[in-house]
Amino acid sequence: MSASDATDAPPQSEPALRAIAMPADANPHGDIFGGWLLSQMDLAGGTVATRRAKGRTATVAITAMTFHRPVFIGDEVTCYAEIIKIGTTSVTVKVESWVRRGIGDEHIAVTEGIFTYVAVGNDRRPRPVPPES
């Protein structure tokens, strides 16, 4: 996805997370901090990875992260997460973030990233991801 693809529609899948960008999440100019958005994306990807791994997961890598457009105070941020790879102990998830501004219906692509999570047991050590049921 490139910045010129911002007119494309968001994924048709169920959102993994929705949040409103608040003033505490922004710099003095009203732009939302990239770290806040990254955190929301990690939460979204982690939720999907945890469900697939049927238990606790931990973030081990963010191998790609692209910021296409800024997020502003008051934007409704929606993160969509799709599993793109299952390893022996890992789950790799593509996360896309889209916003709606104000009361508008236009969806604007703002970020995308690839997050990898490792399934961990009660001992906090890697464990196998169970087969899909």
Side-chain angles (χ1 to χ4, degrees), residues 26-31 72-73:
N27 65 26
H29 304 286
D31 300 321
F72 303 120
I73 293 170

Side-chain angles (χ1 to χ4, degrees), residues 2-130:
S2 68
S4 63
D5 293 336
T7 57
D8 289 346
Q12 294 300 305
S13 61
E14 180 179 326
L17 179 139
R18 264 205 182 118
I20 303 298
M22 300 299 285
D25 308 317
N27 65 26
H29 304 286
D31 300 321
I32 298 302
F33 292 120
W36 178 84
L37 188 52
L38 182 73
S39 173
Q40 301 307 303
M41 295 173 74
D42 192 21
L43 287 168
T47 299
V48 170
T50 296
R51 279 196 188 117
R52 176 57 186 85
K54 297 188 180 8
R56 185 177 186 165
T57 61
T59 309
V60 294
I62 301 170
T63 54
M65 186 68 198
T66 304
F67 293 89
H68 299 293
R69 300 222 189 291
V71 176
F72 303 120
I73 293 170
D75 282 354
E76 177 188 82
V77 178
T78 303
C79 297
Y80 298 90
E82 171 190 5
I83 294 171
I84 58 173
K85 181 182 175 192
I86 304 290
T88 303
T89 62
S90 66
V91 179
T92 302
V93 181
K94 178 181 179 184
V95 182
E96 295 180 31
S97 297
W98 293 70
V99 299
R100 285 193 295 192
R101 298 209 158 109
I103 58 170
D105 286 330
E106 180 184 15
H107 295 268
I108 302 164
V110 291
T111 61
E112 64 182 308
I114 306 295
F115 294 72
T116 302
Y117 304 87
V118 66
V120 294
N122 291 335
D123 60 358
R124 295 192 168 124
R125 301 197 36 86
R127 65 171 174 81
V129 174

